Short mmCIF file of all heavy atoms in Angstrom, two decimals:
data_model
loop_
_atom_site.label_atom_id
_atom_site.label_comp_id
_atom_site.label_asym_id
_atom_site.label_seq_id
_atom_site.Cartn_x
_atom_site.Cartn_y
_atom_site.Cartn_z
N ALA A 20 51.42 70.80 12.12
CA ALA A 20 50.07 70.33 12.40
C ALA A 20 49.98 68.81 12.49
O ALA A 20 50.82 68.08 11.96
CB ALA A 20 49.13 70.81 11.28
N VAL A 28 37.34 62.61 10.99
CA VAL A 28 36.74 63.72 10.24
C VAL A 28 35.27 63.43 10.00
O VAL A 28 34.41 64.30 10.21
CB VAL A 28 37.49 63.96 8.91
CG1 VAL A 28 36.72 64.92 8.01
CG2 VAL A 28 38.90 64.49 9.18
N VAL A 34 28.19 65.20 13.43
CA VAL A 34 27.52 65.85 14.56
C VAL A 34 27.33 67.36 14.35
O VAL A 34 26.65 68.00 15.15
CB VAL A 34 28.24 65.61 15.91
CG1 VAL A 34 28.31 64.12 16.21
CG2 VAL A 34 29.60 66.26 15.95
N VAL A 39 23.08 75.57 10.94
CA VAL A 39 23.00 76.32 12.19
C VAL A 39 23.48 77.78 12.04
O VAL A 39 23.37 78.56 12.97
CB VAL A 39 23.75 75.58 13.32
CG1 VAL A 39 25.25 75.78 13.20
CG2 VAL A 39 23.25 75.96 14.68
N LYS A 45 36.59 74.11 6.34
CA LYS A 45 36.51 72.94 5.47
C LYS A 45 37.13 71.72 6.15
O LYS A 45 38.25 71.81 6.66
CB LYS A 45 37.23 73.22 4.16
CG LYS A 45 36.56 74.32 3.36
CD LYS A 45 37.31 74.60 2.09
CE LYS A 45 36.59 75.70 1.34
NZ LYS A 45 37.28 76.06 0.11
N TRP A 49 40.86 70.63 8.54
CA TRP A 49 40.83 70.41 9.98
C TRP A 49 42.16 69.84 10.45
O TRP A 49 42.66 68.85 9.90
CB TRP A 49 39.70 69.48 10.37
CG TRP A 49 38.35 70.11 10.30
CD1 TRP A 49 38.04 71.43 10.22
CD2 TRP A 49 37.10 69.43 10.30
NE1 TRP A 49 36.68 71.62 10.18
CE2 TRP A 49 36.08 70.40 10.23
CE3 TRP A 49 36.74 68.09 10.37
CZ2 TRP A 49 34.73 70.07 10.22
CZ3 TRP A 49 35.40 67.76 10.35
CH2 TRP A 49 34.41 68.74 10.30
N GLY A 57 55.46 81.34 11.70
CA GLY A 57 55.55 82.67 11.11
C GLY A 57 55.91 82.55 9.64
O GLY A 57 55.59 81.56 8.98
N GLU A 58 56.62 83.54 9.13
CA GLU A 58 56.92 83.57 7.70
C GLU A 58 58.12 82.73 7.31
O GLU A 58 58.39 82.53 6.12
CB GLU A 58 57.10 85.02 7.25
CG GLU A 58 55.79 85.79 7.36
CD GLU A 58 55.89 87.21 6.86
OE1 GLU A 58 56.86 87.55 6.16
OE2 GLU A 58 54.97 87.97 7.16
N GLU A 72 57.47 60.53 20.63
CA GLU A 72 56.30 59.74 21.05
C GLU A 72 55.05 60.60 21.09
O GLU A 72 55.09 61.75 21.54
CB GLU A 72 56.54 59.12 22.42
CG GLU A 72 55.45 58.14 22.80
CD GLU A 72 55.81 57.33 24.02
OE1 GLU A 72 56.89 57.53 24.59
OE2 GLU A 72 54.99 56.48 24.39
N PHE A 84 36.59 80.45 21.47
CA PHE A 84 37.60 81.49 21.69
C PHE A 84 36.99 82.83 21.32
O PHE A 84 36.26 82.93 20.32
CB PHE A 84 38.82 81.31 20.77
CG PHE A 84 39.73 80.18 21.12
CD1 PHE A 84 40.19 79.33 20.12
CD2 PHE A 84 40.17 79.96 22.41
CE1 PHE A 84 41.06 78.30 20.41
CE2 PHE A 84 41.03 78.92 22.71
CZ PHE A 84 41.48 78.09 21.71
N VAL A 88 34.89 81.96 17.85
CA VAL A 88 35.59 80.87 17.17
C VAL A 88 35.25 79.55 17.87
O VAL A 88 35.61 79.34 19.03
CB VAL A 88 37.12 81.10 17.18
CG1 VAL A 88 37.84 79.95 16.48
CG2 VAL A 88 37.47 82.43 16.53
N ALA A 91 36.71 72.16 18.49
CA ALA A 91 36.57 70.85 19.13
C ALA A 91 37.76 70.68 20.04
O ALA A 91 38.90 70.99 19.66
CB ALA A 91 36.53 69.74 18.07
N ILE A 93 40.51 68.65 22.55
CA ILE A 93 41.38 67.48 22.38
C ILE A 93 41.51 66.78 23.72
O ILE A 93 41.86 67.39 24.73
CB ILE A 93 42.79 67.89 21.89
CG1 ILE A 93 42.71 68.78 20.65
CG2 ILE A 93 43.66 66.66 21.65
CD1 ILE A 93 41.99 68.18 19.46
N GLU A 99 53.67 68.07 25.55
CA GLU A 99 55.10 67.79 25.33
C GLU A 99 55.46 67.86 23.85
O GLU A 99 56.48 68.44 23.48
CB GLU A 99 55.45 66.41 25.90
CG GLU A 99 56.92 66.10 25.80
CD GLU A 99 57.28 64.74 26.39
OE1 GLU A 99 56.61 64.29 27.33
OE2 GLU A 99 58.25 64.15 25.88
N ALA A 103 57.92 70.61 22.04
CA ALA A 103 59.03 70.17 21.20
C ALA A 103 58.95 70.80 19.81
O ALA A 103 59.98 71.08 19.19
CB ALA A 103 59.04 68.64 21.08
N VAL A 116 36.59 74.56 14.12
CA VAL A 116 35.56 74.05 13.21
C VAL A 116 34.70 75.14 12.59
O VAL A 116 34.09 74.92 11.54
CB VAL A 116 34.65 72.99 13.88
CG1 VAL A 116 35.44 71.74 14.21
CG2 VAL A 116 33.96 73.52 15.10
N ALA A 117 34.60 76.33 13.21
CA ALA A 117 33.73 77.37 12.64
C ALA A 117 34.06 78.74 13.21
O ALA A 117 34.65 78.87 14.29
CB ALA A 117 32.27 77.05 12.93
N TYR A 120 30.47 82.07 15.77
CA TYR A 120 29.66 81.40 16.78
C TYR A 120 28.87 82.44 17.57
O TYR A 120 29.39 83.47 17.97
CB TYR A 120 30.56 80.59 17.72
CG TYR A 120 29.81 79.88 18.81
CD1 TYR A 120 29.07 78.75 18.53
CD2 TYR A 120 29.82 80.36 20.11
CE1 TYR A 120 28.37 78.09 19.52
CE2 TYR A 120 29.12 79.71 21.11
CZ TYR A 120 28.40 78.57 20.81
OH TYR A 120 27.69 77.93 21.80
N GLN A 123 25.05 79.08 19.60
CA GLN A 123 24.30 77.92 19.12
C GLN A 123 24.62 76.69 19.98
O GLN A 123 25.75 76.50 20.40
CB GLN A 123 24.65 77.60 17.65
CG GLN A 123 24.27 78.68 16.67
CD GLN A 123 25.35 79.73 16.44
OE1 GLN A 123 26.17 80.00 17.31
NE2 GLN A 123 25.35 80.33 15.26
N SER A 131 36.36 58.69 17.95
CA SER A 131 37.18 57.49 18.09
C SER A 131 38.60 57.92 18.46
O SER A 131 39.05 58.99 18.05
CB SER A 131 37.26 56.72 16.77
OG SER A 131 36.00 56.30 16.35
N PRO A 132 39.32 57.08 19.18
CA PRO A 132 40.71 57.43 19.49
C PRO A 132 41.62 57.21 18.27
O PRO A 132 41.31 56.41 17.40
CB PRO A 132 41.07 56.45 20.61
CG PRO A 132 40.19 55.28 20.37
CD PRO A 132 38.91 55.82 19.78
N GLN A 134 46.12 57.76 17.11
CA GLN A 134 47.47 58.24 17.38
C GLN A 134 48.02 58.79 16.07
O GLN A 134 48.19 58.03 15.12
CB GLN A 134 48.37 57.12 17.89
CG GLN A 134 48.20 56.81 19.36
CD GLN A 134 49.23 55.81 19.82
OE1 GLN A 134 49.18 54.65 19.42
NE2 GLN A 134 50.15 56.26 20.65
N SER A 136 50.34 59.50 13.27
CA SER A 136 51.58 58.83 12.90
C SER A 136 52.59 59.78 12.28
O SER A 136 53.73 59.40 12.05
CB SER A 136 51.29 57.69 11.92
OG SER A 136 50.68 58.20 10.74
N VAL A 147 45.06 78.68 1.31
CA VAL A 147 45.42 77.36 0.77
C VAL A 147 46.52 76.76 1.63
O VAL A 147 47.54 77.39 1.88
CB VAL A 147 45.90 77.47 -0.70
CG1 VAL A 147 46.36 76.11 -1.22
CG2 VAL A 147 44.80 78.05 -1.57
N VAL A 151 54.49 70.84 3.29
CA VAL A 151 55.86 71.11 2.86
C VAL A 151 56.76 69.92 3.20
O VAL A 151 57.62 69.54 2.42
CB VAL A 151 56.39 72.40 3.54
CG1 VAL A 151 57.86 72.61 3.25
CG2 VAL A 151 55.57 73.59 3.11
N LEU A 156 56.00 60.05 13.62
CA LEU A 156 55.93 60.09 15.08
C LEU A 156 55.89 58.67 15.60
O LEU A 156 55.46 57.75 14.90
CB LEU A 156 54.69 60.87 15.53
CG LEU A 156 54.61 62.31 15.05
CD1 LEU A 156 53.26 62.91 15.38
CD2 LEU A 156 55.73 63.13 15.68
#
Side-chain angles (χ1 to χ4, degrees):
V28 169
V34 301
V39 78
K45 295 179 180 178
W49 286 345
E58 294 183 15
E72 188 169 1
F84 287 134
V88 180
I93 308 302
E99 184 179 329
V116 294
Y120 179 75
Q123 296 90 331
S131 299
Q134 279 187 291
S136 60
V147 176
V151 173
L156 300 172

